[in-house]
Structures are given as structure tokens and as C-alpha cells.
Amino acid sequence: MIDIKTLQCNPIQENCYVVSDSTREAVVIDCGAFYAEERQAVVNYLNGNHLQLRHVLCTHAHFDHIFGLDTLYGEFGIKPRLHPAESYNYQEMSRQVALFLGVSFDNPMPPLGEMLADGELISFGEHTLRVIHTPGHSPGSVLFYCESEKVLFAGDTLFRMSVGRTDLEGGSWQELMNSLHQIVAKLPADVKVYTGHGPCTTIGEEKAMNPYFRVINQ
């Protein structure tokens, strides 16, 4: 069984997830912690629960999902991992923040670890996450799927009754619809989806009621 801690972060209210199991090994997915108290909350949760951080993973590299990577690297020495198609977004962090929030963000971003590959299995403790490439919201958007627990970390590919925007640089409506139809829709209905923003949902609920899935099925 896995434990999932959700920490809502930054002005965009992004969901950062700390995922662990009984072995006390953990991964952090999408550390968007911006304010000092948010950054400290992530560190305190890991240390307070005696968790050993194994991986720092990114569903994509938009600014609101990667604000806190420097804190994790500084505290634990773990390099973040993302899909190679997200390298450009990662390098453009400061420009993104200036454009969307109108503020300066000068924190140096940590060096990247090994790039994620579609289909790769990432292990921690007694569990495994499978990397699933789902371009559309951004070129290198990925999902992390724990098949044994029927849990999916969807980033901004899928929200409850919605999907991620595609009007940002590198986004593609056609690719997002293809990702939903060819990949997401084929997952079991009872898979619980932890989204990049907003509440959790399930694959079954989304296929039945999400208007963007109805677009696919027409």
C-alpha cells in the first residue's frame, strides 16, 4: 500500500505529491513549492516521517510544477527527472514566471538527472511507477502510473471534468486529444487519478462525464 501526501502550492494552486510506502522510501512528484513555508512543509514531511527520498519526478516543466526543485536538490541532493522534450521549458523557467506572474525568479535551477523514457519503470520501496508519455499540454508531458495500486499521477494532462490548456508554447490540441483517446482512455475505469490542479477523480468518471472525452467519442 502506498501513502500519498498532497501539498497544494504556489499562486496557481498546484498539487505536489509525496508518495511513499512501508519501506519509508519515497518519491516527490511535481514539487511546485514556491513560498518559503511551502518549501519547508515538503522538507518537514519527508524528514518528519523518516522518509528516504529516492526520486524527484516531473510530469512536465511548466513553472508552477517545478518551483521547489532547488530546495529538494539542496536538502537531499536528488536531481529532478523529466522527459527530454521538456528541456526547453525547464531552461525557460525565469521567462515563464515573468510572463505569467509578472515577478522575477532568480533561483538557480538544479542540474537535471537522467531523462525519463516512455515506458520506463521507476522503483521505490515495494512499488513501481511506469512513465507514460502523453504530449499535448506540453511536448514532454508524462503520466506516472502505479498499476499495482491503480493510481495515476496525471500532471496537467487530465483534470476532474477538464483537461490541461494547449495554448502555451509547444502545446497541441490534436496531440492532447490523441493522448486521451489512445492512452488515458484505455486505462482501467477504477484507476484513481491525482491531478496537477484540483481534486482527484477516476478514469471511469472522466470517460463518463468529462466533456473532452465526449469530443473523442463523437
Side-chain angles (χ1 to χ4, degrees):
M1 183 175 181
I2 57 174
D3 293 315
I4 301 172
K5 173 67 174 178
T6 305
L7 299 103
Q8 195 172 81
C9 299
N10 68 56
I12 315 298
Q13 297 185 309
E14 178 264 354
N15 293 326
C16 167
Y17 297 107
V18 183
V19 187
S20 60
D21 65 15
S22 60
T23 69
R24 296 298 176 186
E25 291 192 0
V27 302
V28 173
I29 298 174
D30 286 358
C31 188
F34 176 65
Y35 301 108
E37 59 269 27
E38 295 173 347
R39 294 166 177 266
Q40 195 60 51
V42 178
V43 173
N44 288 348
Y45 182 81
L46 287 162
N47 289 336
N49 288 280
H50 308 290
L51 299 179
Q52 186 172 12
L53 184 59
R54 288 298 189 191
H55 304 280
V56 175
L57 306 175
C58 307
T59 60
H60 63 297
H62 286 156
F63 68 96
D64 52 323
H65 290 253
I66 63 174
F67 271 130
L69 296 181
D70 58 320
T71 291
L72 292 181
Y73 182 67
E75 290 284 340
F76 304 103
I78 305 294
K79 297 177 181 179
R81 300 187 63 197
L82 46 73
H83 190 277
E86 288 300 288
S87 296
Y88 175 79
N89 281 330
Y90 189 79
Q91 294 164 1
E92 293 293 306
M93 170 67 165
S94 295
R95 185 177 67 86
Q96 289 183 51
V97 176
L99 180 64
F100 288 97
L101 298 184
V103 299
S104 175
F105 185 81
D106 298 323
N107 294 29
M109 297 303 291
L112 290 171
E114 184 180 356
M115 293 293 176
L116 298 173
D118 185 39
E120 178 182 352
L121 299 178
I122 299 172
S123 297
F124 68 100
E126 298 174 341
H127 289 84
T128 300
L129 299 172
R130 177 159 57 93
V131 179
I132 305 174
H133 185 209
T134 52
H137 175 66
S138 67
S141 286
V142 299
L143 315 177
F144 298 108
Y145 179 40
C146 183
E147 186 172 6
S148 64
E149 301 284 346
K150 291 194 173 180
V151 166
L152 183 75
F153 299 93
D156 288 1
T157 293
L158 178 66
F159 302 138
R160 180 169 174 79
M161 303 303 136
S162 188
V163 294
R165 61 192 292 183
T166 59
D167 59 336
L168 303 178
E169 187 172 5
S172 167
W173 173 256
Q174 183 176 356
E175 285 190 335
L176 180 59
M177 290 299 101
N178 184 68
S179 290
L180 290 177
H181 178 66
Q182 297 296 332
I183 300 169
V184 179
K186 295 181 179 180
L187 294 171
D190 57 347
V191 168
K192 187 171 184 179
V193 181
Y194 288 82
T195 62
H197 302 268
C200 297
T201 185
T202 67
I203 295 296
E205 288 178 283
E206 297 310 303
K207 289 177 69 175
M209 295 181 287
N210 188 322
Y212 294 96
F213 277 92
R214 287 201 287 272
V215 168
I216 291 172
N217 293 324
Q218 288 177 352

